[in-house]
Amino acid sequence: MMAKGITTEELDKLTDSELAEKVKEFKEELFNLRFSAVTHRLEDAGRLKEVRRDIARIYTIARERELGIRTAPAARSAEK
């Protein structure tokens, strides 16, 4: 079974600062994967695509929060 990337639902539960930390982690992983690809030591080529999509997913959620389409978890609990 292949490992899947992080889901939108999982990301939705994170605060803005946690999202920023995730982006940082994924970008580091992406750098390492690209480095492995260049040195021909990359074992899972699909992981490159997966990490890029995870980063894009995080940016989308962050942008939607900026536009008020989504709300951050702290804001959501304050509304109730």
Side-chain angles (χ1 to χ4, degrees):
M1 192 173 125
M2 195 174 85
K4 286 301 280 173
I6 195 162
T7 65
T8 309
E9 289 76 29
E10 290 170 317
L11 290 172
D12 230 4
K13 294 175 186 161
L14 302 177
T15 63
D16 291 343
S17 58
E18 289 170 331
L19 281 180
E21 187 60 37
K22 279 277 185 215
V23 166
K24 190 175 165 216
E25 289 170 21
F26 282 131
K27 283 192 171 188
E28 286 173 15
E29 183 179 354
L30 187 60
F31 174 82
N32 291 331
L33 288 169
R34 283 184 178 145
F35 189 81
S36 295
V38 169
T39 57
H40 305 290
R41 291 185 291 118
L42 184 62
E43 289 158 23
D44 184 9
R47 184 69 185 139
L48 262 170
K49 187 176 187 180
E50 198 175 290
V51 172
R52 280 200 314 268
R53 285 185 174 174
D54 287 340
I55 291 169
R57 202 172 280 131
I58 292 170
Y59 281 146
T60 301
I61 288 174
R63 183 65 180 140
E64 286 177 350
R65 285 181 182 177
E66 277 179 39
L67 297 173
I69 297 168
R70 283 182 195 264
T71 54
R76 212 178 285 131
S77 60
E79 289 172 8
K80 290 179 183 172

